Protein backbone atom coordinates (compact mmCIF):
# COMPACT_ATOMS: atom_id res chain seq x y z
CA UNK A 1 0.00 0.00 0.00
CA UNK A 2 1.34 3.43 -0.97
CA UNK A 3 1.49 5.85 1.95
CA UNK A 4 2.78 9.35 2.53
CA UNK A 5 6.12 9.44 4.31
CA UNK A 6 5.86 10.75 7.84
CA UNK A 7 7.28 14.18 8.57
CA UNK A 8 10.49 13.13 10.36
CA UNK A 9 11.41 10.75 7.52
CA UNK A 10 10.79 13.47 4.92
CA UNK A 11 12.90 15.90 6.92
CA UNK A 12 15.77 13.41 7.27
CA UNK A 13 15.81 12.57 3.54
CA UNK A 14 15.58 16.17 2.42
CA UNK A 15 18.14 17.45 4.92
CA UNK A 16 20.65 14.73 4.06
CA UNK A 17 20.62 15.92 0.45
CA UNK A 18 20.68 19.64 1.23
CA UNK A 19 23.54 19.38 3.75
CA UNK A 20 25.72 16.60 2.37
CA UNK A 21 29.09 17.70 3.75
CA UNK A 22 30.45 19.66 6.67
CA UNK A 23 32.72 21.98 4.75
CA UNK A 24 31.24 22.42 1.33
CA UNK A 25 27.66 22.80 2.50
CA UNK A 26 27.24 23.50 6.20
CA UNK A 27 30.00 26.10 6.60
CA UNK A 28 29.29 27.62 3.19
CA UNK A 29 25.57 28.00 3.83
CA UNK A 30 26.14 29.72 7.17
CA UNK A 31 28.80 32.08 5.79
CA UNK A 32 26.61 33.01 2.80
CA UNK A 33 23.74 33.70 5.21
CA UNK A 34 26.06 36.14 7.01
CA UNK A 35 26.90 37.85 3.72
CA UNK A 36 23.19 38.09 2.85
CA UNK A 37 22.73 39.77 6.26
CA UNK A 38 25.26 42.42 5.16
CA UNK A 39 27.95 41.32 7.60
CA UNK A 40 31.37 42.96 7.28
CA UNK A 41 33.11 40.53 9.61
CA UNK A 42 32.68 36.73 9.87
CA UNK A 43 34.54 34.39 12.23
CA UNK A 44 34.41 30.62 11.66
CA UNK A 45 35.43 27.93 14.13
CA UNK A 46 35.52 24.25 13.17
CA UNK A 47 36.22 21.16 15.27
CA UNK A 48 36.09 18.10 13.04
CA UNK A 49 36.80 15.70 15.88
CA UNK A 50 33.60 16.80 17.64
CA UNK A 51 31.79 17.68 14.36
CA UNK A 52 31.17 21.15 15.73
CA UNK A 53 30.91 24.42 13.80
CA UNK A 54 30.42 28.00 14.91
CA UNK A 55 29.91 31.03 12.67
CA UNK A 56 29.81 34.51 14.22
CA UNK A 57 28.95 37.63 12.22
CA UNK A 58 28.14 41.32 12.70
CA UNK A 59 25.25 41.38 10.24
CA UNK A 60 21.79 42.85 10.63
CA UNK A 61 20.74 40.23 13.19
CA UNK A 62 17.24 39.01 14.06
CA UNK A 63 14.66 40.00 16.63
CA UNK A 64 12.33 37.67 18.53
CA UNK A 65 9.73 37.50 15.74
CA UNK A 66 12.24 36.57 13.02
CA UNK A 67 13.93 34.03 15.30
CA UNK A 68 10.58 32.34 15.85
CA UNK A 69 10.22 31.81 12.07
CA UNK A 70 13.92 31.06 11.46
CA UNK A 71 14.67 27.37 11.00
CA UNK A 72 11.23 26.44 9.68
CA UNK A 73 11.54 24.86 6.24
CA UNK A 74 10.69 27.22 3.38
CA UNK A 75 10.61 30.26 5.66
CA UNK A 76 12.85 33.03 4.31
CA UNK A 77 13.11 36.81 4.12
CA UNK A 78 14.83 36.75 0.72
CA UNK A 79 12.14 35.54 -1.67
CA UNK A 80 8.46 36.46 -1.67
CA UNK A 81 7.18 35.47 -5.11
CA UNK A 82 7.99 33.52 -8.28
CA UNK A 83 9.02 36.83 -9.81
CA UNK A 84 11.79 37.18 -7.23
CA UNK A 85 13.41 34.03 -8.64
CA UNK A 86 14.15 36.03 -11.81
CA UNK A 87 16.26 38.49 -9.80
CA UNK A 88 18.17 36.45 -7.23
CA UNK A 89 20.27 39.11 -5.54
CA UNK A 90 20.77 36.92 -2.46
CA UNK A 91 22.78 33.72 -2.11
CA UNK A 92 20.08 31.90 -0.16
CA UNK A 93 16.43 31.99 -1.10
CA UNK A 94 14.84 28.56 -0.48
CA UNK A 95 14.57 28.66 3.31
CA UNK A 96 16.13 25.22 3.68
CA UNK A 97 19.68 25.61 5.01
CA UNK A 98 19.09 26.18 8.74
CA UNK A 99 16.19 23.70 8.85
CA UNK A 100 18.37 21.03 7.22
CA UNK A 101 21.34 21.73 9.49
CA UNK A 102 19.06 21.46 12.54
CA UNK A 103 17.84 18.06 11.32
CA UNK A 104 21.40 16.81 10.76
CA UNK A 105 22.80 17.92 14.15
CA UNK A 106 21.91 16.93 17.69
CA UNK A 107 21.96 20.56 18.91
CA UNK A 108 21.91 23.91 17.09
CA UNK A 109 21.96 27.22 18.93
CA UNK A 110 21.23 30.53 17.23
CA UNK A 111 21.70 33.76 19.17
CA UNK A 112 21.01 37.09 17.53
CA UNK A 113 20.65 40.79 18.18
CA UNK A 114 19.62 43.69 15.99
CA UNK A 115 21.21 47.11 16.22
CA UNK A 116 17.80 48.55 17.15
CA UNK A 117 17.39 46.61 20.39
CA UNK A 118 19.47 46.03 23.49
CA UNK A 119 18.30 42.45 23.99
CA UNK A 120 19.86 39.30 22.54
CA UNK A 121 17.53 36.38 21.82
CA UNK A 122 18.36 32.68 21.58
CA UNK A 123 16.71 29.77 19.77
CA UNK A 124 17.66 26.14 20.35
CA UNK A 125 17.05 23.09 18.15
CA UNK A 126 17.32 19.62 19.66
CA UNK A 127 17.38 16.77 17.10
CA UNK A 128 15.58 19.02 14.64
CA UNK A 129 12.88 20.15 17.07
CA UNK A 130 12.76 23.88 17.79
CA UNK A 131 12.42 25.15 21.37
CA UNK A 132 10.87 28.44 22.38
CA UNK A 133 12.82 31.62 21.72
CA UNK A 134 14.08 33.17 24.94
CA UNK A 135 16.19 36.10 25.99
CA UNK A 136 19.90 35.34 26.34
CA UNK A 137 21.59 35.58 29.72
CA UNK A 138 24.61 37.26 28.14
CA UNK A 139 23.86 40.00 25.63
CA UNK A 140 25.95 40.50 22.50
CA UNK A 141 27.94 43.76 22.52
CA UNK A 142 26.73 44.59 18.97
CA UNK A 143 24.26 43.48 16.35
CA UNK A 144 24.76 40.20 14.53
CA UNK A 145 24.19 36.46 14.73
CA UNK A 146 26.04 33.46 16.16
CA UNK A 147 25.19 29.95 14.95
CA UNK A 148 26.66 26.99 16.82
CA UNK A 149 26.19 23.49 15.37
CA UNK A 150 27.01 20.49 17.60
CA UNK A 151 27.40 16.82 16.73
CA UNK A 152 26.67 17.17 13.00
CA UNK A 153 25.69 13.98 11.12
CA UNK A 154 25.31 12.07 14.38
CA UNK A 155 22.62 9.93 12.73
CA UNK A 156 24.75 9.23 9.64
CA UNK A 157 27.79 7.19 10.76
CA UNK A 158 28.71 6.19 7.20
CA UNK A 159 28.93 9.81 6.11
CA UNK A 160 31.01 10.67 9.14
CA UNK A 161 33.40 7.82 8.44
CA UNK A 162 33.93 9.11 4.89
CA UNK A 163 35.07 12.49 6.23
CA UNK A 164 38.77 12.41 7.00
CA UNK A 165 39.54 15.32 9.34
CA UNK A 166 42.53 16.62 7.38
CA UNK A 167 40.91 16.44 3.95
CA UNK A 168 37.57 17.80 5.14
CA UNK A 169 39.19 20.76 6.89
CA UNK A 170 41.17 21.49 3.74
CA UNK A 171 37.88 21.59 1.85
CA UNK A 172 36.50 24.03 4.42
CA UNK A 173 39.55 26.25 3.99
CA UNK A 174 39.30 26.19 0.19
CA UNK A 175 35.61 27.04 0.32
CA UNK A 176 36.18 29.98 2.67
CA UNK A 177 39.00 31.25 0.42
CA UNK A 178 36.78 30.98 -2.66
CA UNK A 179 34.02 32.98 -0.97
CA UNK A 180 36.48 35.60 0.29
CA UNK A 181 37.83 36.31 -3.20
CA UNK A 182 34.49 37.72 -4.34
CA UNK A 183 34.04 39.65 -1.09
CA UNK A 184 37.30 41.52 -0.43
CA UNK A 185 35.53 44.08 1.80
CA UNK A 186 34.57 41.25 4.19
CA UNK A 187 36.89 40.34 7.08
CA UNK A 188 37.12 36.56 7.48
CA UNK A 189 38.84 34.26 9.94
CA UNK A 190 38.95 30.47 10.17
CA UNK A 191 40.09 28.64 13.30
CA UNK A 192 40.72 24.92 13.66
CA UNK A 193 39.52 24.20 17.20
CA UNK A 194 40.78 20.60 17.05
CA UNK A 195 44.38 21.81 16.73
CA UNK A 196 43.79 25.20 18.43
CA UNK A 197 45.27 27.01 15.41
CA UNK A 198 44.19 30.04 13.39
CA UNK A 199 44.28 28.87 9.77
CA UNK A 200 43.02 31.99 7.99
CA UNK A 201 42.92 35.61 9.05
CA UNK A 202 41.85 37.84 6.18
CA UNK A 203 41.22 41.49 7.04
CA UNK A 204 39.08 43.46 4.63
CA UNK A 205 40.92 44.78 1.61
CA UNK A 206 40.21 46.93 -1.43
CA UNK A 207 39.84 44.45 -4.30
CA UNK A 208 40.12 40.87 -5.60
CA UNK A 209 43.80 41.30 -6.46
CA UNK A 210 44.65 42.31 -2.89
CA UNK A 211 42.63 39.40 -1.48
CA UNK A 212 44.47 36.94 -3.72
CA UNK A 213 47.73 38.44 -2.45
CA UNK A 214 46.59 37.90 1.17
CA UNK A 215 45.88 34.22 0.53
CA UNK A 216 48.59 33.14 -1.91
CA UNK A 217 51.35 35.67 -1.38
CA UNK A 218 52.92 38.56 -3.26
CA UNK A 219 54.92 36.37 -5.65
CA UNK A 220 51.87 34.69 -7.16
CA UNK A 221 49.76 37.84 -7.20
CA UNK A 222 52.40 39.71 -9.20
CA UNK A 223 51.86 37.22 -12.02
CA UNK A 224 48.17 38.13 -12.33
CA UNK A 225 46.97 40.16 -15.30
CA UNK A 226 43.56 41.79 -15.55
CA UNK A 227 40.97 40.68 -18.11
CA UNK A 228 37.76 42.46 -19.18
CA UNK A 229 35.54 41.56 -22.09
CA UNK A 230 31.88 42.19 -23.00
CA UNK A 231 29.87 40.37 -25.63
CA UNK A 232 26.28 39.24 -26.20
CA UNK A 233 24.96 40.51 -22.87
CA UNK A 234 27.75 38.85 -20.86
CA UNK A 235 30.73 40.47 -19.17
CA UNK A 236 33.90 38.56 -18.25
CA UNK A 237 36.16 40.20 -15.67
CA UNK A 238 38.89 39.21 -13.26
CA UNK A 239 42.47 37.99 -13.43
CA UNK A 240 44.51 35.32 -15.21
CA UNK A 241 48.04 34.42 -14.15
CA UNK A 242 50.84 34.34 -16.70
CA UNK A 243 52.26 31.22 -15.04
CA UNK A 244 50.76 27.78 -14.43
CA UNK A 245 50.27 25.63 -11.36
CA UNK A 246 50.61 21.88 -10.80
CA UNK A 247 46.91 21.45 -9.94
CA UNK A 248 43.57 23.22 -10.40
CA UNK A 249 43.25 24.52 -6.83
CA UNK A 250 43.67 28.12 -7.97
CA UNK A 251 40.93 28.12 -10.57
CA UNK A 252 37.96 30.19 -9.41
CA UNK A 253 34.96 30.84 -11.63
CA UNK A 254 31.89 32.78 -10.54
CA UNK A 255 28.60 33.85 -12.08
CA UNK A 256 27.33 37.09 -10.54
CA UNK A 257 29.84 36.42 -7.73
CA UNK A 258 28.41 32.97 -7.01
CA UNK A 259 31.01 30.18 -7.19
CA UNK A 260 30.24 27.53 -9.83
CA UNK A 261 31.99 24.19 -10.35
CA UNK A 262 32.65 21.79 -13.22
CA UNK A 263 30.90 23.66 -16.03
CA UNK A 264 31.54 23.90 -19.75
CA UNK A 265 33.20 27.22 -18.98
CA UNK A 266 35.85 25.47 -16.87
CA UNK A 267 36.59 23.04 -19.70
CA UNK A 268 36.86 25.82 -22.26
CA UNK A 269 39.09 28.09 -20.17
CA UNK A 270 41.28 25.15 -19.16
CA UNK A 271 41.77 24.17 -22.81
CA UNK A 272 42.55 27.73 -23.91
CA UNK A 273 45.18 28.22 -21.20
CA UNK A 274 46.81 24.80 -21.64
CA UNK A 275 46.67 24.41 -25.42
CA UNK A 276 46.47 27.92 -26.86
CA UNK A 277 48.99 29.68 -24.65
CA UNK A 278 52.52 29.30 -23.33
CA UNK A 279 51.27 29.71 -19.73
CA UNK A 280 51.11 26.02 -18.89
CA UNK A 281 54.40 24.93 -20.39
CA UNK A 282 56.92 23.58 -17.92
CA UNK A 283 59.66 26.11 -17.21
CA UNK A 284 62.39 23.53 -17.64
CA UNK A 285 61.37 22.71 -21.21
CA UNK A 286 62.45 24.43 -24.42
CA UNK A 287 60.48 27.43 -25.59
CA UNK A 288 59.52 25.96 -28.91
CA UNK A 289 57.96 22.68 -29.90
CA UNK A 290 59.93 20.03 -31.67
CA UNK A 291 59.05 20.09 -35.38
CA UNK A 292 59.16 16.30 -35.64
CA UNK A 293 56.65 15.66 -32.87
CA UNK A 294 52.94 16.26 -32.60
CA UNK A 295 52.46 19.75 -31.07
CA UNK A 296 49.62 18.59 -28.86
CA UNK A 297 51.47 15.59 -27.50
CA UNK A 298 54.90 17.09 -26.82
CA UNK A 299 55.58 17.41 -23.10
CA UNK A 300 58.58 19.17 -21.61
CA UNK A 301 57.78 18.28 -18.00
CA UNK A 302 54.89 17.84 -15.57
CA UNK A 303 51.52 19.08 -16.82
CA UNK A 304 50.52 22.51 -15.55
CA UNK A 305 47.14 24.20 -15.24
CA UNK A 306 46.01 27.79 -15.45
CA UNK A 307 45.43 30.11 -12.49
CA UNK A 308 42.41 32.38 -12.76
CA UNK A 309 39.79 34.31 -10.78
CA UNK A 310 37.00 35.09 -13.24
CA UNK A 311 33.50 36.45 -12.76
CA UNK A 312 30.75 36.37 -15.38
CA UNK A 313 28.18 39.14 -14.99
CA UNK A 314 24.82 38.72 -16.69
CA UNK A 315 21.07 38.97 -16.13
CA UNK A 316 19.76 36.64 -13.42
CA UNK A 317 17.14 35.38 -15.86
CA UNK A 318 19.87 34.05 -18.18
CA UNK A 319 20.69 31.03 -16.01
CA UNK A 320 19.41 28.48 -13.50
CA UNK A 321 21.34 27.44 -10.36
CA UNK A 322 18.59 25.33 -8.80
CA UNK A 323 19.89 22.05 -10.25
CA UNK A 324 21.23 20.79 -6.91
CA UNK A 325 21.22 22.04 -3.30
CA UNK A 326 24.71 23.54 -3.27
CA UNK A 327 23.84 25.76 -6.28
CA UNK A 328 27.30 25.23 -7.80
CA UNK A 329 26.00 23.59 -10.99
CA UNK A 330 24.52 25.92 -13.55
CA UNK A 331 22.65 25.92 -16.85
CA UNK A 332 22.43 28.88 -19.20
CA UNK A 333 19.60 29.75 -21.54
CA UNK A 334 22.08 30.42 -24.35
CA UNK A 335 25.35 28.55 -23.88
CA UNK A 336 26.61 29.39 -27.38
CA UNK A 337 26.61 33.15 -26.82
CA UNK A 338 28.33 32.79 -23.44
CA UNK A 339 30.97 30.32 -24.66
CA UNK A 340 31.74 32.63 -27.59
CA UNK A 341 32.16 35.55 -25.19
CA UNK A 342 34.53 33.55 -22.98
CA UNK A 343 36.59 32.24 -25.90
CA UNK A 344 36.89 35.68 -27.48
CA UNK A 345 37.78 37.32 -24.18
CA UNK A 346 40.48 34.81 -23.22
CA UNK A 347 42.04 34.83 -26.71
CA UNK A 348 42.13 38.64 -26.78
CA UNK A 349 43.81 38.54 -23.37
CA UNK A 350 46.40 35.97 -24.50
CA UNK A 351 47.25 37.93 -27.64
CA UNK A 352 47.51 41.19 -25.69
CA UNK A 353 49.94 39.58 -23.25
CA UNK A 354 51.87 37.86 -26.11
CA UNK A 355 51.02 34.43 -24.71
CA UNK A 356 48.89 33.04 -27.55
CA UNK A 357 49.96 30.09 -29.69
CA UNK A 358 48.00 28.35 -32.42
CA UNK A 359 46.59 25.01 -31.22
CA UNK A 360 47.30 21.91 -33.23
CA UNK A 361 44.50 20.23 -35.15
CA UNK A 362 44.78 17.07 -33.07
CA UNK A 363 44.09 18.96 -29.82
CA UNK A 364 41.10 20.75 -31.35
CA UNK A 365 39.67 17.53 -32.74
CA UNK A 366 40.11 15.77 -29.39
CA UNK A 367 38.46 18.64 -27.51
CA UNK A 368 35.47 18.77 -29.87
CA UNK A 369 35.01 15.00 -29.66
CA UNK A 370 35.25 14.88 -25.86
CA UNK A 371 32.76 17.70 -25.18
CA UNK A 372 29.18 18.51 -26.07
CA UNK A 373 30.24 21.84 -27.58
CA UNK A 374 32.88 22.97 -30.07
CA UNK A 375 35.41 25.75 -30.13
CA UNK A 376 33.80 28.77 -31.78
CA UNK A 377 36.87 30.16 -33.52
CA UNK A 378 38.50 26.83 -34.31
CA UNK A 379 39.99 26.56 -37.82
CA UNK A 380 38.38 24.17 -40.25
CA UNK A 381 40.17 20.87 -39.86
CA UNK A 382 41.24 19.23 -43.10
CA UNK A 383 41.05 15.44 -42.99
CA UNK A 384 44.37 13.64 -43.10
CA UNK A 385 45.27 11.20 -45.90
CA UNK A 386 44.43 8.27 -43.63
CA UNK A 387 41.04 9.86 -42.84
CA UNK A 388 40.32 10.39 -46.55
CA UNK A 389 41.22 6.77 -47.36
CA UNK A 390 39.01 5.56 -44.51
CA UNK A 391 36.11 7.65 -45.82
CA UNK A 392 36.61 6.30 -49.36
CA UNK A 393 36.71 2.72 -48.10
CA UNK A 394 33.53 3.23 -46.06
CA UNK A 395 31.78 4.77 -49.06
CA UNK A 396 32.84 1.90 -51.36
CA UNK A 397 31.67 -0.66 -48.78
CA UNK A 398 28.28 1.06 -48.47
CA UNK A 399 27.87 1.08 -52.28
CA UNK A 400 28.72 -2.64 -52.48
CA UNK A 401 26.15 -3.41 -49.79
CA UNK A 402 23.48 -1.49 -51.73
CA UNK A 403 24.32 -3.40 -54.95
CA UNK A 404 24.24 -6.76 -53.14
CA UNK A 405 20.92 -5.88 -51.55
CA UNK A 406 19.47 -4.86 -54.93
CA UNK A 407 20.62 -8.10 -56.62
CA UNK A 408 19.18 -10.21 -53.81
CA UNK A 409 15.86 -8.41 -54.13
CA UNK A 410 15.76 -9.11 -57.87
CA UNK A 411 16.61 -12.76 -57.31
CA UNK A 412 13.79 -13.18 -54.79
CA UNK A 413 11.22 -11.44 -57.00
CA UNK A 414 11.75 -13.55 -60.20
CA UNK A 415 8.98 -15.93 -61.21
CA UNK A 416 9.92 -19.58 -60.83
CA UNK A 417 8.85 -21.83 -63.70
CA UNK A 418 8.06 -25.44 -62.83
Amino acid sequence: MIKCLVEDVRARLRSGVTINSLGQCCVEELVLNSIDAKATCVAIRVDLEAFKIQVVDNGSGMGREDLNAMGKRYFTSKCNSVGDLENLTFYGFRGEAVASIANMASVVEVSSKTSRTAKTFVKLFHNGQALEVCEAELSRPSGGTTVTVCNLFHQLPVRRKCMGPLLEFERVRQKVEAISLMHPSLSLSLRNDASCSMVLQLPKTRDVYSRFCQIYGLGRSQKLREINHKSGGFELSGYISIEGHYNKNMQFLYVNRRLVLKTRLHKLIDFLLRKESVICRAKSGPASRQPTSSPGRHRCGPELYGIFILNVTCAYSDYDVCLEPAKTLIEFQNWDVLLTCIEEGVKIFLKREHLFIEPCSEDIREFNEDNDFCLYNAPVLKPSLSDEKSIQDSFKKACDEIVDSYEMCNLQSKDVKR
Side-chain angles (χ1 to χ4, degrees):
M1 182 182 292
I2 297 177
K3 295 181 181 179
C4 178
L5 291 172
V6 295
E7 176 57 34
D8 59 339
V9 175
R10 294 203 303 267
R12 173 83 69 84
L13 292 171
R14 182 64 185 170
S15 300
V17 172
T18 303
I19 304 298
N20 54 39
S21 71
L22 186 148
Q24 293 180 293
C25 285
C26 188
V27 171
E28 180 183 21
E29 291 286 358
L30 294 176
V31 172
L32 293 181
N33 274 350
S34 297
I35 294 173
D36 283 342
K38 295 181 171 53
T40 59
C41 183
V42 178
I44 307 150
R45 300 177 67 170
V46 176
D47 184 347
L48 277 167
E49 292 179 1
F51 286 86
K52 182 179 178 180
I53 302 163
Q54 186 179 72
V55 177
V56 184
D57 70 50
N58 66 344
S60 56
M62 292 173 283
R64 181 189 288 270
E65 186 177 345
D66 281 339
L67 264 181
N68 272 318
M70 188 272 306
K72 296 180 180 178
R73 200 174 294 276
Y74 309 125
F75 277 62
T76 179
S77 61
K78 306 167 190 176
C79 181
N80 299 309
S81 67
V82 174
D84 290 342
L85 296 176
E86 299 295 322
N87 190 30
L88 296 173
T89 55
F90 294 102
Y91 285 107
F93 50 86
R94 292 189 304 227
E96 285 198 274
V98 177
S100 297
I101 292 170
N103 274 300
M104 290 289 101
S106 59
V107 175
V108 175
E109 180 188 87
V110 182
S111 64
S112 195
K113 176 183 180 294
T114 67
S115 57
R116 300 186 300 274
T117 62
K119 295 180 179 180
T120 299
F121 294 98
V122 178
K123 185 173 186 177
L124 280 172
F125 297 85
H126 182 65
N127 291 328
Q129 300 301 312
L131 305 182
E132 286 295 321
V133 175
C134 61
E135 188 176 339
E137 293 180 2
L138 296 174
S139 181
R140 288 175 58 103
S142 60
T145 301
T146 299
V147 180
T148 306
V149 181
C150 300
N151 206 17
L152 188 66
F153 301 132
H154 66 106
Q155 297 165 320
L156 300 173
V158 175
R159 190 171 300 185
R160 274 191 168 190
K161 190 175 181 180
C162 292
M163 293 181 184
L166 293 177
L167 181 58
E168 191 65 23
F169 193 87
E170 178 63 16
R171 287 171 177 164
V172 172
R173 185 186 64 79
Q174 289 176 355
K175 185 63 69 172
V176 172
E177 289 174 351
I179 293 171
S180 75
L181 283 167
M182 278 295 106
H183 298 277
S185 61
L186 177 69
S187 295
L188 273 162
S189 66
L190 172 63
R191 176 183 167 85
N192 185 345
D193 277 353
S195 61
C196 300
S197 60
M198 187 66 74
V199 178
L200 281 177
Q201 205 156 14
L202 304 172
K204 68 177 182 180
T205 187
R206 61 182 181 274
D207 53 27
V208 175
Y209 181 91
S210 302
R211 177 70 91 200
F212 187 89
C213 183
Q214 285 179 341
I215 299 170
Y216 297 107
L218 181 62
R220 287 208 181 276
S221 63
Q222 287 178 335
K223 303 292 184 180
L224 296 179
R225 300 292 183 269
E226 192 169 6
I227 176 174
N228 279 286
H229 182 69
K230 291 182 180 180
S231 175
F234 296 95
E235 180 179 358
L236 177 67
S237 60
Y239 296 88
I240 296 176
S241 176
I242 59 173
E243 71 174 12
H245 189 54
Y246 66 90
N247 61 32
K248 297 182 180 181
N249 286 351
M250 283 187 261
Q251 295 186 351
F252 301 96
L253 183 60
Y254 308 82
V255 175
N256 289 334
R257 303 209 300 173
R258 181 189 293 276
L259 182 70
V260 293
L261 305 173
K262 298 179 181 178
T263 68
R264 298 179 195 178
L265 304 180
H266 290 81
K267 294 179 181 179
L268 175 60
I269 296 168
D270 181 65
F271 177 85
L272 294 173
L273 297 184
R274 287 195 303 113
K275 303 296 185 180
E276 298 196 16
S277 80
V278 297
I279 292 173
C280 294
R281 290 191 187 180
K283 294 179 181 179
S284 59
S288 61
R289 290 185 172 123
Q290 299 294 330
T292 57
S293 66
S294 169
R297 300 302 178 197
H298 182 67
R299 293 288 180 269
C300 302
E303 189 168 23
L304 298 177
Y305 300 91
I307 299 172
F308 56 81
I309 314 102
L310 298 173
N311 181 50
V312 176
T313 305
C314 61
Y316 292 96
S317 57
D318 284 343
Y319 62 91
D320 180 7
V321 292
C322 297
L323 303 174
E324 42 83 50
K327 308 185 195 80
T328 54
L329 300 180
I330 192 167
E331 279 294 334
F332 283 89
Q333 187 172 347
N334 196 331
W335 274 108
D336 291 341
V337 175
L338 173 59
L339 291 167
T340 300
C341 171
I342 300 298
E343 187 176 347
E344 287 177 350
V346 174
K347 284 185 175 180
I348 290 171
F349 166 85
L350 294 174
K351 290 174 181 178
R352 185 193 76 200
E353 299 294 331
H354 307 291
L355 301 168
F356 180 78
I357 55 174
E358 288 292 343
C360 71
S361 59
E362 187 179 350
D363 284 334
I364 294 175
R365 183 185 294 108
E366 185 178 324
F367 180 86
N368 291 341
E369 289 174 353
D370 291 346
N371 295 284
D372 57 353
F373 65 97
C374 296
L375 295 170
Y376 175 71
N377 289 320
V380 177
L381 301 179
K382 295 181 179 180
S384 61
L385 291 175
S386 59
D387 289 339
E388 288 181 350
K389 188 176 186 304
S390 177
I391 293 170
Q392 290 173 358
D393 291 343
S394 298
F395 180 73
K396 185 176 183 301
K397 183 179 178 182
C399 290
D400 291 341
E401 288 176 354
I402 292 172
V403 172
D404 291 344
S405 176
Y406 178 75
E407 289 177 350
M408 181 62 71
C409 181
N410 283 342
L411 182 63
Q412 291 176 349
S413 63
K414 287 181 180 179
D415 293 333
V416 180
K417 294 184 180 180
R418 297 186 182 275

